Amino acid sequence: MSDNDKYFESDEFKEIISRYETARQAGETPYFDPEDLTDIAEYYYMLGNMPSAIEAADQAVRMFPGAAEPLAFRARMALHADNDTRLAKKLIDQIDDETHPEYHYVVAELMIFSKQYDQAEAFLEEQFEAIDDEEEREDFIIDVAMLYADYELYEKAAKWLHQYTDTDDPDYKELRGRIAMHRGNYEESERIFNELIDSDPYSTPYWNHLASAQFMHNNIRDSIQSSEFSIAINPNNADAILNKANGLFSLGNFKEARKFYKRFCELCPQEESGEMFQGICYLNMEEPEKGIKHLKKAEEIAPEDSENLFEIYQELAFSLSRIGKIDEALEYTEKMLNLPNAPHDEALVMKAHLLMEAKQWVEAQACYSQAIIESGGSAHIFLRVAISIYDLGYYDHAYRLFRMLDNFEDNENRTEGFAYEALCCYSLGKKEEFREAVRKACERNPREAAIVLCDLFPEEVEPKDYYRYLVES
């Protein structure tokens, strides 16, 4: 769904929603045009109030059969809430005016949702070429770029945005900031969103994008602060709440992070990520039974093609193993292995880890070996094996594996694993090697350092400053 936060915070919309809710409480059906009813539906959808969103959209469809705005909205709900492309197509086919921009956008969105990217691009280019009015062409360009960006197809968004002429337009700048973030230009992204905030300090989308850029740039505390500004403007903004939860999680503050993931779940009950991260927080708080409850809820609500399923199964396997339910844990490793397009080699490492816990040494060794062979001897899988061996408590053997990683090709560009190597050296009392591993972790992957090493440093120390703290203390 499109992000209309700024409009929803306007006096104009506040007056509309107030009239609508007053009428509903009185049992009346006030007159609104289809655009207003669709805005009301989108507002409720943003708040996670699905029944009210459907009620407003269906009222618009009943009052204005064939109207593009409410039918397009309901079609998008069918895609995002129900993962139902057939229903979306059926709703789109009810739109009377096939020249309406909303019709064009939702037809293209259905194609994009179905991963028919070439067809979507050809369709959009055809509609664009048919537009004569220059202002309408500009509107079409920015809307298409936004559509692609919402599906994280940022290079396609950049291609369309390149045609846009009004470089002072806030929408243009916002898209530039999002594209810069996607390309890893976090400083540029932060600069753009700070500039936008200077001109519109009450925009929750700008604060949310800034928080995301800061998070990706490992400025975790700044990211949390930006999220708090966004929450102050709109306490029910799901993106801001999720950003703050992610920031707290990255700092190892799992107790507070879980509270914000819980709030996110209340606002977005169909999003499995909130339940998943609540479960992971509980695991880090040494409460595996509670963690399992939330992870199984995440498994229940996740769509079949969710990219989160692999991690959900993995965390369930870990947590079930921790409470002694090895057989059930191994069942989840089989689910991991059977996921289409999942990293089979990583699932084998997970299975080997559990077999080691069950003292099935021969079977475990076979799984470790198979994982390394299937990966083509990749450093990533070798590292996963080293971490697994460390977690099992075989510190000397894990240390030897970490040392062997130093001889892998392209080790100078490796970003993963240094925090775990530091933890291993710390456990063995190898102080100098611990300091060197912390240095590399801080330079190459502060986020991993935050999650793995947070218990070894004071809470007020930023992960990127862990090494400096060691040197100065």
Side-chain angles (χ1 to χ4, degrees):
M1 298 289 172
S2 62
D3 195 347
N4 286 326
D5 290 44
K6 285 189 285 187
Y7 176 62
F8 294 152
E9 291 157 10
S10 69
D11 291 338
E12 178 187 352
F13 181 76
K14 287 176 182 177
E15 190 273 331
I16 289 171
I17 195 68
S18 176
R19 282 198 297 117
Y20 178 80
E21 292 186 341
T22 299
R24 284 179 67 208
Q25 291 168 5
E28 300 172 355
T29 305
Y31 179 85
F32 289 93
D33 62 33
E35 292 86 355
D36 284 342
L37 284 169
T38 304
D39 287 337
I40 290 167
E42 287 202 13
Y43 172 74
Y44 285 126
Y45 182 90
M46 181 195 71
L47 295 179
N49 187 342
M50 300 295 284
S52 293
I54 292 170
E55 180 185 342
D58 286 350
Q59 179 182 331
V61 172
R62 285 193 304 272
M63 293 175 67
F64 307 96
E69 290 88 351
L71 284 167
F73 172 81
R74 288 291 275 118
R76 293 188 180 100
M77 281 191 71
L79 294 177
H80 297 287
D82 304 318
N83 198 32
D84 191 336
T85 54
R86 288 186 179 181
L87 176 57
K89 176 69 166 58
K90 183 179 177 181
L91 290 160
I92 292 168
D93 287 343
Q94 295 176 41
I95 296 175
D96 288 337
D97 184 3
E98 294 187 3
T99 67
H100 196 292
E102 278 299 318
Y103 175 80
H104 299 151
Y105 300 142
V106 76
V107 168
E109 184 163 358
L110 175 58
M111 294 175 184
I112 293 168
F113 185 89
S114 304
K115 296 182 169 54
Q116 298 173 342
Y117 303 130
D118 291 342
Q119 295 94 317
E121 182 70 3
F123 175 79
L124 289 166
E125 286 180 352
E126 180 183 352
Q127 307 314 313
F128 180 62
E129 290 303 320
I131 301 172
D132 294 325
D133 183 80
E134 191 59 36
E135 187 174 341
E136 289 180 16
R137 288 172 70 86
E138 290 281 282
D139 289 343
F140 191 87
I141 289 168
I142 203 75
D143 288 339
V144 170
M146 283 283 190
L147 174 60
Y148 275 130
D150 287 344
Y151 279 85
E152 299 185 358
L153 299 168
Y154 288 106
E155 294 313 313
K156 289 184 179 293
K159 173 195 164 188
W160 280 85
L161 191 64
H162 185 68
Q163 303 176 73
Y164 199 66
T165 59
D166 185 1
T167 56
D168 291 325
D169 181 3
D171 288 339
Y172 172 85
K173 291 181 179 179
E174 179 183 344
L175 277 168
R176 273 192 56 218
R178 293 171 66 183
I179 291 166
M181 195 189 319
H182 165 73
R183 291 174 171 171
N185 300 328
Y186 304 125
E187 289 185 10
E188 173 69 3
S189 183
E190 288 181 48
R191 184 193 65 75
I192 291 169
F193 286 113
N194 273 312
E195 180 183 310
L196 286 167
I197 286 167
D198 286 342
S199 62
D200 186 358
Y202 296 102
S203 168
T204 52
Y206 296 163
W207 282 112
N208 292 342
H209 290 314
L210 177 61
S212 296
Q214 290 166 329
F215 182 84
M216 296 300 294
H217 202 196
N218 293 306
N219 295 328
I220 306 300
R221 294 188 192 281
D222 289 343
S223 175
I224 291 172
Q225 186 177 56
S226 295
S227 301
E228 288 170 345
F229 279 120
S230 184
I231 292 168
I233 296 165
N234 182 355
N236 293 318
N237 187 275
D239 289 339
I241 289 165
L242 182 60
N243 280 339
K244 182 169 182 180
N246 290 338
L248 291 165
F249 184 92
S250 291
L251 292 179
N253 191 343
F254 302 115
K255 185 176 180 180
E256 283 301 306
R258 192 205 65 79
K259 293 177 184 177
F260 282 89
Y261 285 127
K262 181 174 184 291
R263 284 181 62 185
F264 177 76
C265 287
E266 290 165 354
L267 291 169
C268 303
Q270 299 304 313
E271 291 279 347
E272 74 274 10
S273 57
E275 292 289 351
M276 179 181 78
F277 278 107
Q278 278 199 83
I280 296 172
C281 284
Y282 273 123
L283 298 183
N284 281 285
M285 293 159 61
E286 303 297 331
E287 298 184 66
E289 289 87 356
K290 290 182 179 179
I292 290 166
K293 177 183 174 183
H294 286 282
L295 288 164
K296 288 195 171 182
K297 177 66 174 177
E299 178 188 13
E300 178 187 325
I301 62 178
E304 291 181 2
D305 60 349
S306 169
E307 295 180 357
N308 288 322
L309 276 175
F310 188 87
E311 186 170 1
I312 291 168
Y313 293 159
Q314 179 175 263
E315 296 297 337
L316 276 166
F318 265 129
S319 50
L320 287 163
S321 173
R322 285 172 65 179
I323 63 173
K325 295 185 177 181
I326 296 292
D327 289 341
E328 189 178 353
L330 285 168
E331 288 175 10
Y332 275 102
T333 64
E334 293 303 318
K335 289 187 177 184
M336 293 168 66
L337 288 165
N338 290 326
L339 279 174
N341 304 316
H344 198 261
D345 43 14
E346 289 191 23
L348 285 168
V349 174
M350 182 74 231
K351 184 175 182 179
H353 185 96
L354 297 184
L355 290 168
M356 286 284 285
E357 288 187 332
K359 300 185 178 4
Q360 297 180 37
W361 318 116
V362 175
E363 295 89 340
Q365 184 59 46
C367 274
Y368 281 133
S369 298
Q370 186 182 350
I372 292 171
I373 291 168
E374 286 195 11
S375 74
S378 78
H380 173 74
I381 290 302
F382 198 87
L383 173 61
R384 299 266 76 77
V385 173
I387 293 170
S388 170
I389 296 299
Y390 169 79
D391 285 341
L392 289 162
Y394 299 104
Y395 300 147
D396 287 314
H397 187 44
Y399 173 78
R400 288 194 293 274
L401 293 174
F402 282 121
R403 291 275 72 83
M404 289 171 66
L405 272 168
D406 293 339
N407 297 319
F408 272 66
E409 187 178 351
D410 203 35
N411 185 60
E412 288 302 312
N413 296 318
R414 177 164 65 94
T415 59
E416 290 185 296
F418 292 106
Y420 291 97
E421 186 174 341
L423 208 56
C424 184
C425 293
Y426 181 84
S427 300
L428 292 170
K430 298 179 181 292
K431 294 182 180 179
E432 289 306 313
E433 291 177 76
F434 165 68
R435 286 160 62 101
E436 178 61 13
V438 170
R439 182 186 69 78
K440 290 179 179 177
C442 290
E443 287 179 356
R444 302 190 192 185
N445 199 334
R447 193 172 306 156
E448 183 186 81
I451 295 170
V452 177
L453 302 174
C454 59
D455 290 340
L456 302 182
F457 295 91
E459 186 176 334
E460 64 272 13
V461 179
E462 287 275 7
K464 61 185 175 64
D465 295 328
Y466 284 169
Y467 178 70
R468 183 188 304 169
Y469 176 83
L470 283 177
V471 171
E472 294 176 354
S473 61

